Amino acid sequence: MGVIASVPAGQAPTVQVVVEAGTVPAGTPYTVTGHASGGYEWPVRAGARTSDGTQAVLGDPICPINTPVTYRATWDGGQAVSAAVRRPWSGYSLLTNITGNGAVDLLWQGDDARETDPRVTLHEVPGRPTPVAVFAPAMGAGTVSLTARTTPSDTAAMLALAARPAAAALFHNPARCWQCRWGTCDVPLVTIMALTSVSHARSPRLDVAERIWTLKGAVISVPEPGVAVPTSTWDDLDAAGLAWAQIPGVAGTWNGFDRVLWQEAGA
């Protein structure tokens, strides 16, 4: 019994997180979170639940790239932790939609410009030299701005992602950051945002059609955090090329069926 994290083959795949049957006592509320170096922590989608004693299979499309991560199931009086895994990405920086699709390999330039939102209003009172400040209960997460470069295939992917009315995930790449190697970087490993401004133009580069993008986004929480993200789809099962009679031999039980990475189960 415990927590098992698996990374499917490919570039920046959705990480599979399994809380095995019997790990959390039935009827007990628990949460599943991811953890990376530097104290970075994030909730796994659909990871806040009440145990029914059976296994839970979750997909994590916002796991950081190229850095060791562990997953932890925590409940009142106990916890279980997975072995460390690493989500690979061989490109530069990465931008995807919130479910891990539509990957864009981009060269992230600039200085991680961010603007906070104090959520304070000032009210002038006649006869009083200072205004009355009214603060919201919580400060806003603010915005992030960046300049990025793409070449043709990723330019098309960026246009498609920008045209989709959905949240996006921007991934910092520790494998290409010398400050990360020294343990001195302060750029968030993952930023969830809603794109609010997208502009682009051709760069002066001559050997390839390169575009320079100016992006701005509002930092937001993960939409619909209670909705689970699958690590395999029916299309993955179809692509495996297995006859129905062969599937029980691969999956064994229905619990096993949920845990098979069908994109790796080809005949």
Side-chain angles (χ1 to χ4, degrees), residues 35-48:
H35 300 262
S37 60
Y40 180 72
E41 177 181 337
W42 66 100
V44 177
R45 287 187 71 161

Side-chain angles (χ1 to χ4, degrees), residues 20-42:
E20 294 185 295
T23 299
V24 183
T28 302
Y30 69 99
T31 57
V32 182
T33 52
H35 300 262
S37 60
Y40 180 72
E41 177 181 337
W42 66 100

Side-chain angles (χ1 to χ4, degrees), residues 62-127:
I62 61 170
C63 172
I65 56 174
N66 293 331
T67 192
V69 301
T70 59
Y71 290 90
R72 184 177 302 165
T74 306
W75 62 96
D76 186 18
Q79 68 173 10
V81 183
S82 75
V85 295
R86 187 185 297 262
R87 186 187 188 197
W89 176 250
S90 62
Y92 292 98
S93 294
L94 172 65
L95 184 69
T96 72
N97 64 26
I98 201 62
T99 57
N101 297 317
V104 181
D105 183 6
L106 51 86
L107 184 59
W108 182 353
Q109 297 180 300
D111 52 6
D112 189 42
R114 294 178 185 252
E115 182 177 344
T116 58
D117 179 9
R119 290 182 177 172
V120 57
T121 57
L122 300 177
H123 300 272
E124 303 291 343
V125 179

Side-chain angles (χ1 to χ4, degrees), residues 13-27:
T14 296
V15 178
Q16 183 189 79
V17 183
V18 178
V19 181
E20 294 185 295
T23 299
V24 183

Side-chain angles (χ1 to χ4, degrees), residues 193-234:
M193 62 180 181
L195 290 171
T196 57
S197 177
V198 178
S199 61
H200 56 97
R202 285 282 294 267
S203 78
R205 184 172 171 178
L206 298 178
D207 62 319
V208 67
E210 181 183 65
R211 288 209 166 253
I212 302 175
W213 298 79
T214 301
L215 307 175
K216 186 172 183 178
V219 179
I220 62 172
S221 300
V222 174
E224 300 181 314
V227 177
V229 175
T231 50
S232 299
T233 66
W234 287 109

